[in-house]
PDB file of all heavy atoms in Angstrom:
ATOM      1  N   SER B 919      96.371 102.942 101.975  1.00 91.00           N
ATOM      2  CA  SER B 919      95.618 103.609 103.031  1.00 91.00           C
ATOM      3  C   SER B 919      94.911 104.798 102.416  1.00 91.00           C
ATOM      4  O   SER B 919      95.373 105.356 101.423  1.00 91.00           O
ATOM      5  CB  SER B 919      96.552 104.086 104.130  1.00 91.00           C
ATOM      6  OG  SER B 919      97.164 105.289 103.761  1.00 91.00           O
ATOM      7  N   THR B 920      93.806 105.142 102.984  1.00 85.00           N
ATOM      8  CA  THR B 920      93.068 106.275 102.433  1.00 85.00           C
ATOM      9  C   THR B 920      92.064 106.801 103.451  1.00 85.00           C
ATOM     10  O   THR B 920      91.709 106.128 104.402  1.00 85.00           O
ATOM     11  CB  THR B 920      92.341 105.867 101.130  1.00 85.00           C
ATOM     12  OG1 THR B 920      91.603 106.980 100.660  1.00 85.00           O
ATOM     13  CG2 THR B 920      91.400 104.707 101.352  1.00 85.00           C
ATOM     14  N   HIS B 921      91.656 108.046 103.226  1.00 78.00           N
ATOM     15  CA  HIS B 921      90.551 108.610 104.002  1.00 78.00           C
ATOM     16  C   HIS B 921      89.272 108.533 103.193  1.00 78.00           C
ATOM     17  O   HIS B 921      88.188 108.710 103.716  1.00 78.00           O
ATOM     18  CB  HIS B 921      90.798 110.099 104.275  1.00 78.00           C
ATOM     19  CG  HIS B 921      91.915 110.347 105.207  1.00 78.00           C
ATOM     20  ND1 HIS B 921      91.891 109.910 106.499  1.00 78.00           N
ATOM     21  CD2 HIS B 921      93.081 110.981 105.046  1.00 78.00           C
ATOM     22  CE1 HIS B 921      93.010 110.280 107.087  1.00 78.00           C
ATOM     23  NE2 HIS B 921      93.758 110.920 106.230  1.00 78.00           N
ATOM     24  N   ILE B 922      89.456 108.342 101.875  1.00 79.00           N
ATOM     25  CA  ILE B 922      88.309 108.435 100.975  1.00 79.00           C
ATOM     26  C   ILE B 922      87.647 107.065 100.888  1.00 79.00           C
ATOM     27  O   ILE B 922      88.227 106.110 100.388  1.00 79.00           O
ATOM     28  CB  ILE B 922      88.745 108.902  99.583  1.00 79.00           C
ATOM     29  CG1 ILE B 922      89.609 110.148  99.722  1.00 79.00           C
ATOM     30  CG2 ILE B 922      87.549 109.167  98.703  1.00 79.00           C
ATOM     31  CD1 ILE B 922      90.506 110.381  98.547  1.00 79.00           C
ATOM     32  N   LEU B 923      86.419 106.997 101.399  1.00 79.00           N
ATOM     33  CA  LEU B 923      85.769 105.701 101.503  1.00 79.00           C
ATOM     34  C   LEU B 923      85.352 105.154 100.153  1.00 79.00           C
ATOM     35  O   LEU B 923      85.432 103.962  99.901  1.00 79.00           O
ATOM     36  CB  LEU B 923      84.567 105.823 102.426  1.00 79.00           C
ATOM     37  CG  LEU B 923      85.013 106.178 103.851  1.00 79.00           C
ATOM     38  CD1 LEU B 923      83.976 107.005 104.548  1.00 79.00           C
ATOM     39  CD2 LEU B 923      85.335 104.949 104.636  1.00 79.00           C
ATOM     40  N   SER B 924      84.960 106.062  99.254  1.00 79.00           N
ATOM     41  CA  SER B 924      84.541 105.574  97.939  1.00 79.00           C
ATOM     42  C   SER B 924      85.725 104.938  97.218  1.00 79.00           C
ATOM     43  O   SER B 924      85.565 104.074  96.368  1.00 79.00           O
ATOM     44  CB  SER B 924      83.977 106.722  97.114  1.00 79.00           C
ATOM     45  OG  SER B 924      84.967 107.701  96.935  1.00 79.00           O
ATOM     46  N   GLU B 925      86.926 105.388  97.586  1.00 82.00           N
ATOM     47  CA  GLU B 925      88.113 104.817  96.974  1.00 82.00           C
ATOM     48  C   GLU B 925      88.253 103.342  97.334  1.00 82.00           C
ATOM     49  O   GLU B 925      88.604 102.511  96.494  1.00 82.00           O
ATOM     50  CB  GLU B 925      89.325 105.572  97.506  1.00 82.00           C
ATOM     51  CG  GLU B 925      90.601 105.130  96.884  1.00 82.00           C
ATOM     52  CD  GLU B 925      91.581 106.264  96.889  1.00 82.00           C
ATOM     53  OE1 GLU B 925      91.252 107.297  96.291  1.00 82.00           O
ATOM     54  OE2 GLU B 925      92.627 106.132  97.499  1.00 82.00           O
ATOM     55  N   VAL B 926      87.954 103.036  98.568  1.00 84.00           N
ATOM     56  CA  VAL B 926      88.030 101.651  99.005  1.00 84.00           C
ATOM     57  C   VAL B 926      87.023 100.817  98.229  1.00 84.00           C
ATOM     58  O   VAL B 926      87.342  99.732  97.735  1.00 84.00           O
ATOM     59  CB  VAL B 926      87.759 101.569 100.522  1.00 84.00           C
ATOM     60  CG1 VAL B 926      87.649 100.136 100.964  1.00 84.00           C
ATOM     61  CG2 VAL B 926      88.858 102.272 101.278  1.00 84.00           C
ATOM     62  N   GLN B 927      85.814 101.359  98.110  1.00 82.00           N
ATOM     63  CA  GLN B 927      84.793 100.618  97.386  1.00 82.00           C
ATOM     64  C   GLN B 927      85.187 100.409  95.926  1.00 82.00           C
ATOM     65  O   GLN B 927      84.906  99.374  95.343  1.00 82.00           O
ATOM     66  CB  GLN B 927      83.442 101.352  97.467  1.00 82.00           C
ATOM     67  CG  GLN B 927      82.614 100.793  98.610  1.00 82.00           C
ATOM     68  CD  GLN B 927      81.545 101.731  99.073  1.00 82.00           C
ATOM     69  OE1 GLN B 927      81.684 102.955  98.981  1.00 82.00           O
ATOM     70  NE2 GLN B 927      80.467 101.180  99.601  1.00 82.00           N
ATOM     71  N   ALA B 928      85.861 101.426  95.364  1.00 82.00           N
ATOM     72  CA  ALA B 928      86.189 101.343  93.946  1.00 82.00           C
ATOM     73  C   ALA B 928      87.407 100.466  93.659  1.00 82.00           C
ATOM     74  O   ALA B 928      87.492  99.860  92.614  1.00 82.00           O
ATOM     75  CB  ALA B 928      86.442 102.751  93.392  1.00 82.00           C
ATOM     76  N   THR B 929      88.359 100.426  94.565  1.00 86.00           N
ATOM     77  CA  THR B 929      89.603  99.733  94.242  1.00 86.00           C
ATOM     78  C   THR B 929      89.863  98.453  95.017  1.00 86.00           C
ATOM     79  O   THR B 929      90.488  97.540  94.496  1.00 86.00           O
ATOM     80  CB  THR B 929      90.840 100.633  94.491  1.00 86.00           C
ATOM     81  OG1 THR B 929      90.491 101.645  95.395  1.00 86.00           O
ATOM     82  CG2 THR B 929      91.364 101.219  93.240  1.00 86.00           C
ATOM     83  N   CYS B 930      89.412  98.398  96.273  1.00 88.00           N
ATOM     84  CA  CYS B 930      89.918  97.323  97.124  1.00 88.00           C
ATOM     85  C   CYS B 930      88.971  96.133  97.121  1.00 88.00           C
ATOM     86  O   CYS B 930      87.765  96.294  97.040  1.00 88.00           O
ATOM     87  CB  CYS B 930      90.082  97.816  98.546  1.00 88.00           C
ATOM     88  SG  CYS B 930      91.145  99.247  98.615  1.00 88.00           S
TER      89      CYS B 930
END
Side-chain angles (χ1 to χ4, degrees):
Chain B
S919 80
T920 178
H921 291 297
I922 310 158
L923 296 149
S924 61
E925 184 152 301
V926 172
Q927 265 159 331
T929 22
C930 304

